[in-house]
């Protein structure tokens, strides 16, 4: 199977071939889902859950680092993303489907217990997954989003008018906006927008893609090769499922489990310059400790100058934090 990607990953300390990451498809819940993996099958397992506009490739730095440290890394593409099949009716997809798929992937690979690392809306899958399948989860690291409380996007956090999730919740609006550009340009624009420290809010007569000038450069840590890799994967899947989950199912977030309380060890990593902290109510929810009503064992770590894309912006720092967490808690996973 051909996957367009960079062939070598260079850090300050080593260069490791991306070709060490292998790819397979697993048949679960009526769909063929793509899973990237690296590491020995006998090692403790870490599953990485991506956000948008991300994909398994988002985790390339972390996958190689945890495998080198003696863990097995697996990173699926959610249904309708990248190389995974799309559901027959993407407009009916829900977060519940992604939670069920995650459990089914682990079952199909005969993996009984894992550490779960979720970024962006991958965190919205991670916590309910841990609540619904506590026997499968040894610990959690989330990046860029905290645990979402009941009524998260209906009463708790009010999304401003013109903010991109509000715009993309409207059926057809993002499709028309994105449809003016090729897939590569859409991914490029979203990476530029989401790497900023302020909320991305369009005026009444603007669309979200209009917020990026064509001359705006990519973030320094995101290469043209990276953009090509993302574009190739989203050209395969399109954006139909991605617009449905997370954006058009956000009103249901936080309703997955009654009286939720996540008891496993948890670390949340936030960039100090992540625009998510500017969502009304979000920064206070995290900093005040209110989030600990639901995740009592959570440690929160802020990365100076960090954007919403920490795994790619500061891979070595994220690797260090993730490995510290895994090594402190690996006794919780019996191999």
């Amino acid at each position: 199977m051909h996957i367009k990607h960079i062939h070598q990953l260079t850090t300050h300390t080593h260069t490791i071939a991306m070709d060490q990451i292998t790819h397979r498809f697993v048949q679960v819940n009526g769909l063929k889902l793509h899973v990237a993996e690296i590491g020995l099958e006998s090692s403790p397992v870490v599953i990485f859950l991506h956000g948008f506009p991300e994909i398994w490739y988002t985790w390339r730095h972390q996958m190689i680092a945890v495998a080198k440290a003696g863990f097995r890394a697996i990173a699926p593409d959610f249904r309708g993303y990248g190389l995974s099949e799309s559901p027959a009716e993407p407009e009916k997809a829900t977060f519940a489907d992604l939670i069920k798929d995650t459990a089914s992937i682990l079952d199909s690979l005969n993996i009984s217990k894992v550490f779960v690392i979720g970024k962006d809306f991958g965190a919205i899958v991670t916590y309910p997954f841990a609540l619904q399948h506590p026997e499968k989860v040894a610990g959690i690291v989330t990046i860029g989003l905290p645990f979402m409380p009941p009524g998260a996007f209906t009463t708790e956090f009010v999304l401003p008018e013109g903010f991109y999730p509000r715009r993309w919740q409207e059926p057809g609006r993002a499709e028309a906006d994105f449809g003016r550009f090729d897939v590569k340009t859409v991914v490029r624009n979203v990476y530029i927008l989401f790497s900023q420290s302020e909320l991305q809010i369009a005026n009444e007569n603007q669309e979200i893609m209009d917020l990026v000038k064509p001359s705006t450069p990519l973030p320094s840590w995101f290469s043209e090769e990276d953009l090509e890799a993302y574009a190739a994967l989203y050209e395969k899947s399109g954006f139909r499922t991605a617009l449905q989950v997370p954006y058009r199912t956000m009103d249901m977030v936080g309703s997955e489990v009654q009286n939720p309380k996540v008891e496993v060890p948890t670390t949340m990593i936030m960039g100090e310059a992540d625009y998510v902290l500017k969502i009304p109510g979000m920064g206070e929810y995290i900093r005040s400790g209110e989030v600990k009503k639901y995740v009592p064992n959570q440690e929160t770590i802020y990365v100076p100058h960090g954007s919403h894309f920490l795994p790619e912006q500061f891979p070595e720092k994220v690797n260090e934090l993730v490995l510290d967490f895994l090594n402190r808690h690996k006794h919780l996973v019996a191999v």
Side-chain angles (χ1 to χ4, degrees), residues 124-254:
I124 300 178
V125 177
T126 295
Y127 289 113
F129 173 74
L131 290 165
Q132 293 176 19
H133 303 277
E135 76 287 352
K136 292 183 184 293
V137 179
I140 291 170
V141 177
T142 62
I143 302 172
L145 268 187
F147 177 88
M148 291 289 106
F153 295 110
T154 53
T155 58
E156 190 84 15
F157 312 120
V158 180
L159 303 178
E161 186 61 45
F163 187 32
Y164 76 89
R166 289 281 298 272
R167 287 293 180 85
W168 293 351
Q169 284 173 344
E170 299 177 35
R173 186 156 190 172
E175 288 87 340
D177 186 13
F178 292 4
R180 297 177 294 155
F181 306 95
D182 60 23
V183 168
K184 183 176 175 181
T185 302
V186 172
V187 175
R188 174 186 175 277
N189 288 353
V190 175
Y191 253 83
I192 290 169
L193 282 175
F194 287 15
S195 63
Q196 296 173 12
S197 60
E198 300 298 324
L199 300 184
Q200 311 81 22
I201 297 176
N203 296 325
E204 191 175 343
N205 60 349
Q206 274 185 316
E207 298 302 326
I208 298 301
M209 291 292 105
D210 297 331
L211 295 175
V212 182
K213 295 177 181 176
S215 59
T216 306
L218 285 168
S220 60
W221 41 265
F222 194 74
S223 71
E224 285 290 337
E225 277 187 305
D226 294 331
L227 179 59
E228 288 283 353
Y230 277 92
L233 292 166
Y234 273 98
E235 279 168 4
K236 191 269 180 191
S237 65
F239 298 105
R240 279 181 72 189
T241 308
L243 288 168
Q244 174 66 14
V245 185
Y247 301 104
R248 293 171 187 165
T249 50
M250 287 177 72
D251 288 353
M252 298 300 294
V253 171

